[in-house]
Amino acid sequence: MVPVVPVAAHEPPYYAAVFTTVRTQDQSDYGETSAHLEESVKNVPGYLGMDHAQTPGGLGITVSYFRDADALKEWRTDVEHRAAQQRGRDQWYEAYTLHVAKVERSRGFGRS
């Protein structure tokens, strides 16, 4: 089993895209699409990692980290990602928000 760990702290500044969702009942193909996009984003130069959590009440939170605004823009405009965004609005999401922030301070801790 792969251990669960948060994305490592990086040297600021960098960007965080915080995507919060509430999903609909119709989740057909969501898992496959999500897994594919999680692999695809790793090919974006400047991608630093992703954290994801789901509350028991159904709120999903995904935070993606990017070295700079150009890397974030490349992912935002990716053709497959754009198609998934549209499908999310049409089918998978009841509601969502996206917050983009510039990270100015970052540190981490890990028990050895």
Side-chain angles (χ1 to χ4, degrees), residues 52-68:
H52 178 76
Q54 186 82 31
T55 70
L59 180 68
I61 304 167
T62 301
V63 184
S64 301
Y65 305 95
F66 297 88
R67 173 54 49 210
D68 52 38

Side-chain angles (χ1 to χ4, degrees), residues 41 44 66 69-83 85 98 100:
V41 70
V44 173
F66 297 88
D70 289 338
L72 183 58
K73 181 180 179 183
E74 183 172 333
W75 178 239
R76 187 188 68 207
T77 60
D78 176 85
V79 173
E80 289 182 320
H81 185 214
R82 301 276 300 174
Q85 290 169 2
L98 173 66
V100 176

Side-chain angles (χ1 to χ4, degrees), residues 28-39 80 83-84 87 92:
S28 53
D29 299 327
Y30 180 86
E32 296 84 358
T33 301
S34 178
H36 176 72
L37 291 177
E38 282 186 33
E39 285 303 310
E80 289 182 320
R87 188 153 181 210
W92 296 322

Side-chain angles (χ1 to χ4, degrees), residues 25 34-35 50 52 59 67 84 89 97 107:
Q25 292 295 322
S34 178
M50 179 186 304
H52 178 76
L59 180 68
R67 173 54 49 210
R89 286 188 293 275
T97 58
R107 64 177 163 222

Side-chain angles (χ1 to χ4, degrees), residues 2-55:
V2 177
V4 176
V5 295
V7 171
H10 292 277
E11 185 64 35
Y14 57 94
Y15 287 83
V18 183
F19 185 55
T20 58
T21 64
V22 176
R23 294 192 212 166
T24 64
Q25 292 295 322
D26 184 0
Q27 293 298 294
S28 53
D29 299 327
Y30 180 86
E32 296 84 358
T33 301
S34 178
H36 176 72
L37 291 177
E38 282 186 33
E39 285 303 310
S40 293
V41 70
K42 293 175 183 177
N43 296 321
V44 173
Y47 171 74
L48 301 173
M50 179 186 304
D51 291 317
H52 178 76
Q54 186 82 31
T55 70

